[in-house]
């Protein structure tokens, strides 16, 4: 009798443990495989096969409340040397993947990421990943936020990314990208942040980008030429425009500033004309190192910006520069 009671106790104990474990077995297996492929790094020491991966003790792992499937992986700051493991694509319910400040994370973006069709947020930033931005990212139809900034990515911008109809933020700052902006990028449906600064991009900015109603655009420190007036317009909701250190050449006096614009930096270009109407409403302005002329309007913050916001132009004058003749 005692033996039977003991066996029943063991049976019910195991049943209780299995009921308390929320983590999907396949997800659990995939996470442990990822850890193995990364050679069991110390920053994943909490990924313990004897604990439940949905119990909030696995570093950087969170599960969806109702389904208990892995929803998010957020891994931060380590000197561990590794590449993104192919098995990352075996988490079909993953909605957010965030890899930040891994200086020894190398290699390309693996194609298995294209299997993560529920992915909404993808950040791989401040790493040493290299190679091209892959076309297969265009398959991630639910993607709303794509951040591949501060890496060593090279090659051209893939036109296929314009198929991401849900994309709101596009950040490829500080890489080694070359070539032009594809014309198809004017057909993003929901894009609000478009940043490509600190690359080696070149050519003319496509007129199709006038279709976009961006809040934040940053194309500074590239090799773009010609017109950039498509980012302006009184009907746009743009708040921040950074176009400095390119070879842009257009008449700034003929653009209409967006009503919500607070920041404008077009310094170090070949821009001509006068300062546009409404410039006195800006909180930040830099038009230095261009070919601008005319008197600096009075009012707003224009006189408090200082000489460095205006100097090295063809014939700008008036406070804080010398008086107009």
């Amino acid at each position: 009798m005692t033996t039977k009671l003991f066996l029943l106790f063991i049976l019910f104990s195991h049943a209780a443990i299995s009921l308390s474990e929320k983590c999907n077995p396949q997800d659990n297996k995939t996470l442990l495989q990822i850890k193995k492929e990364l050679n069991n790094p110390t920053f994943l020491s909490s990924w313990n096969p004897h604990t439940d991966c949905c119990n909030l003790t696995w570093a950087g792992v969170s599960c969806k409340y109702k389904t208990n499937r892995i929803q998010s992986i957020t891994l931060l700051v380590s000197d561990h040397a590794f590449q993104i493991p192919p098995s990352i694509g075996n988490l079909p319910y993953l909605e957010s993947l965030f890899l930040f400040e891994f200086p020894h994370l190398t290699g390309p973006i693996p194609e298995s990421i294209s299997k993560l069709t529920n992915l909404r947020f993808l950040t791989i930033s401040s790493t040493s990943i290299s190679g091209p931005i892959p076309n297969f990212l265009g398959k991630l139809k639910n993607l709303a936020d794509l951040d591949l900034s501060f890496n060593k990515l090279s090659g051209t911008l893939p036109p296929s990314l314009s198929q991401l109809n849900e994309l709101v933020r596009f950040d490829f700052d500080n890489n080694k990208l070359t070539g032009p902006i594809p014309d198809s990028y004017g057909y993003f449906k929901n894009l609000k942040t478009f940043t490509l600064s600190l690359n080696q991009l070149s050519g003319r900015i496509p007129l199709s980008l006038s279709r976009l109603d961006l809040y934040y655009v940053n194309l500074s420190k590239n090799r773009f030429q010609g017109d950039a007036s498509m980012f302006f317009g009184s009907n746009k909701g743009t708040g921040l425009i950074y176009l400095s250190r390119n070879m842009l050449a257009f008449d700034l006096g003929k653009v209409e500033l967006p009503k919500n614009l607070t920041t404008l930096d077009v310094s170090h270009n070949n821009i001509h004309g006068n300062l546009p109407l409404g410039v006195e409403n800006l909180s930040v302005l830099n038009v230095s190192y261009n070919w601008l002329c005319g008197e600096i309007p009075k009012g707003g913050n224009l006189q408090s910006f200082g000489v460095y916001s205006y100097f090295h132009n063809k014939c700008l004058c008036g406070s804080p520069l010398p008086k107009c003749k």
Side-chain angles (χ1 to χ4, degrees):
M1 185 66 178
T2 304
T3 303
K4 288 182 180 180
L5 287 174
F6 178 74
L7 291 173
L8 285 172
F9 173 76
I10 295 295
L11 178 65
F12 283 121
S13 296
H14 280 292
I17 291 171
S18 64
L19 287 172
S20 67
E21 289 181 354
K22 299 176 181 179
C23 186
N24 178 273
Q26 187 57 48
D27 287 354
N28 184 82
K29 181 180 178 181
T30 297
L31 290 176
L32 294 175
Q33 179 63 28
I34 290 172
K35 181 180 179 180
K36 181 180 179 181
E37 289 176 5
L38 297 182
N39 294 318
N40 299 308
T42 55
F43 67 88
L44 295 184
S45 60
S46 62
W47 291 20
N48 187 333
H50 303 296
T51 60
D52 184 354
C53 71
C54 285
N55 68 0
L56 302 179
T57 61
W58 287 40
V61 174
S62 67
C63 300
K64 198 158 183 123
Y65 173 68
K66 291 184 178 180
T67 63
N68 290 317
R69 301 303 299 260
I70 302 301
Q71 181 181 31
S72 173
I73 293 179
T74 301
L75 302 176
L76 310 171
V77 191
S78 172
D79 287 330
H80 184 73
F82 66 103
Q83 295 189 6
I84 299 172
S87 55
I88 195 72
N90 297 329
L91 294 170
Y93 293 86
L94 195 67
E95 296 180 13
S96 176
L97 176 60
F98 191 96
L99 304 175
F100 178 72
E101 205 165 308
F102 290 94
H104 301 297
L105 169 55
T106 59
I109 299 172
E111 190 168 1
S112 61
I113 281 183
S114 66
K115 294 162 59 179
L116 301 175
T117 55
N118 284 302
L119 205 62
R120 298 188 66 242
F121 303 92
L122 175 59
T123 292
I124 307 172
S125 180
S126 299
T127 77
S128 293
I129 61 167
S130 57
I133 296 170
N135 277 301
F136 59 69
L137 292 181
K139 297 179 181 179
L140 302 176
K141 303 300 185 184
N142 290 304
L143 207 60
D145 191 296
L146 177 58
D147 181 356
L148 299 177
S149 62
F150 291 85
N151 294 303
K152 296 181 180 179
L153 297 168
S154 59
T156 58
L157 294 166
S160 61
L161 295 185
S162 62
Q163 300 170 19
L164 300 174
N165 291 332
E166 302 300 317
L167 199 66
V168 175
R169 189 171 80 104
F170 177 113
D171 185 349
F172 291 174
D173 286 350
N174 207 328
N175 279 284
K176 299 178 180 180
L177 302 173
T178 55
I181 297 173
D183 182 73
S184 63
Y185 283 17
Y187 296 87
F188 283 110
K189 303 293 186 183
N190 294 294
L191 197 65
K192 293 298 178 185
T193 294
F194 184 61
T195 67
L196 288 165
S197 67
L198 289 159
N199 279 285
Q200 301 163 29
L201 297 162
S202 59
R204 300 181 71 86
I205 300 170
L207 289 174
S208 64
L209 268 60
S210 63
R211 298 168 54 92
L212 303 177
D213 187 12
L214 301 167
Y215 174 73
Y216 173 39
V217 57
N218 190 346
L219 304 184
S220 60
K221 298 182 180 178
N222 280 286
R223 300 169 184 172
F224 293 117
Q225 301 175 0
D227 192 12
S229 60
M230 71 286 295
F231 294 121
F232 298 86
S234 59
N235 61 330
K236 292 183 179 288
T238 314
L240 308 165
I241 297 177
Y242 294 90
L243 302 172
S244 66
R245 297 183 184 274
N246 282 287
M247 295 177 281
L248 299 169
F250 62 98
D251 190 336
L252 187 61
K254 291 184 178 180
V255 306
E256 293 184 339
L257 297 183
K259 293 178 181 178
N260 296 324
L261 191 69
T262 63
T263 300
L264 176 62
D265 186 351
V266 294
S267 61
H268 295 266
N269 280 290
N270 299 312
I271 297 169
H272 57 277
N274 302 321
L275 291 177
L277 292 173
V279 71
E280 66 275 5
N281 298 321
L282 299 179
S283 300
V284 177
L285 175 68
N286 193 340
V287 296
S288 62
Y289 289 92
N290 279 292
W291 293 89
L292 297 171
C293 279
E295 184 173 6
I296 298 170
K298 295 180 175 65
N301 296 311
L302 294 182
Q303 277 64 54
S304 64
F305 287 143
V307 171
Y308 296 106
S309 289
Y310 304 104
F311 73 160
H312 284 278
N313 273 285
K314 183 179 179 181
C315 48
L316 268 184
C317 57
S319 178
L321 295 179
K323 292 182 180 181
C324 298
K325 297 179 180 179

